[in-house]
Amino acid sequence: MNDFIQQQGPAFLAHLLRRLADELVQGAADWYPSVGVSAPPRTISTLLALDEHGPLGVTELARLLQQSHPLVIVWIKELTRLSLVKSKDDPTDRRRTLVSLTAKGRNELVRVRKALVTMERASSELLQLAGTDSLQMLWALERNCRELPFLQRLQQKALHNEE
């Protein structure tokens, strides 16, 4: 059976990457509970960042993770619901909320770090099957989008089409 999206070519790169991301995230979500991890896969980086950097504001977390502020808020709400993080007003700046790990969150990280060893092995296998430079290629795509955002690339190409 032919893949309809593959037939559409490079214009559907985002669709392909989303399908891949969804497969990886869903696989992790289904597997994590079997190794005692309750945090959703997309929130793991937030836990690791808080563990490494200590309490952080939402804006700092978003910048550190290079994710949108609204998305990080969603993750913090989910982690708060699971009692893995807590928030409090910054005593030096009442406009700012600091997010920190709870004791339950620190315990979760012990299981997360152990699970990430297996996650790295499985991910490395997929990358090797895709080719020796596949991870570097993905990082290059991401870096190139940061250097010249995709919106600007689209605008430039649209201008060339009009000429």
Side-chain angles (χ1 to χ4, degrees):
M1 182 168 121
N2 292 336
D3 186 313
F4 177 78
I5 297 304
Q6 186 175 10
Q7 292 173 359
Q8 305 312 304
F12 280 75
L13 175 62
H15 190 109
L16 170 61
L17 293 173
R18 175 61 122 188
R19 275 183 11 190
L20 179 58
D22 288 349
E23 169 64 23
L24 298 174
V25 169
Q26 189 59 54
D30 292 344
W31 176 72
Y32 273 152
S34 73
V35 293
V37 174
S38 62
R42 295 185 196 272
T43 67
I44 298 295
S45 58
T46 301
L47 293 174
L48 292 167
L50 292 171
D51 188 44
E52 186 171 324
H53 294 276
L56 293 169
V58 176
T59 301
E60 293 167 297
L61 266 170
R63 190 176 308 116
L64 181 66
L65 301 173
Q66 297 186 22
Q67 294 291 335
S68 72
H69 191 271
L71 182 58
V72 172
I73 289 172
V74 168
W75 292 345
I76 290 167
K77 285 180 182 177
E78 180 64 15
L79 292 170
T80 300
R81 187 186 67 75
L82 294 169
S83 301
L84 299 174
V85 302
K86 60 185 176 186
S87 300
K88 68 175 185 175
D89 289 335
D90 184 339
T92 61
D93 182 353
R94 300 302 250 175
R95 297 167 297 170
R96 185 170 171 244
T97 301
L98 290 175
V99 181
S100 60
L101 291 170
T102 62
K104 184 177 178 184
R106 284 188 290 283
N107 289 335
E108 178 85 351
L109 275 167
V110 171
R111 294 181 296 278
V112 163
R113 289 186 193 287
K114 187 175 178 183
L116 287 176
V117 172
T118 301
M119 183 72 67
E120 183 169 344
R121 288 180 184 147
S123 297
S124 292
E125 178 182 282
L126 274 176
L127 289 164
Q128 287 174 345
L129 290 168
T132 56
D133 292 334
S134 54
L135 184 59
Q136 291 81 2
M137 182 272 303
L138 290 170
W139 279 115
L141 284 173
E142 195 268 349
R143 184 177 56 255
N144 291 331
C145 283
R146 293 215 183 272
E147 290 172 5
L148 182 64
F150 194 60
L151 172 59
Q152 291 177 359
R153 290 176 194 281
L154 289 167
Q155 291 166 337
Q156 287 176 355
K157 299 305 176 199
L159 283 175
H160 289 118
N161 287 342
E162 292 173 4
E163 295 172 354

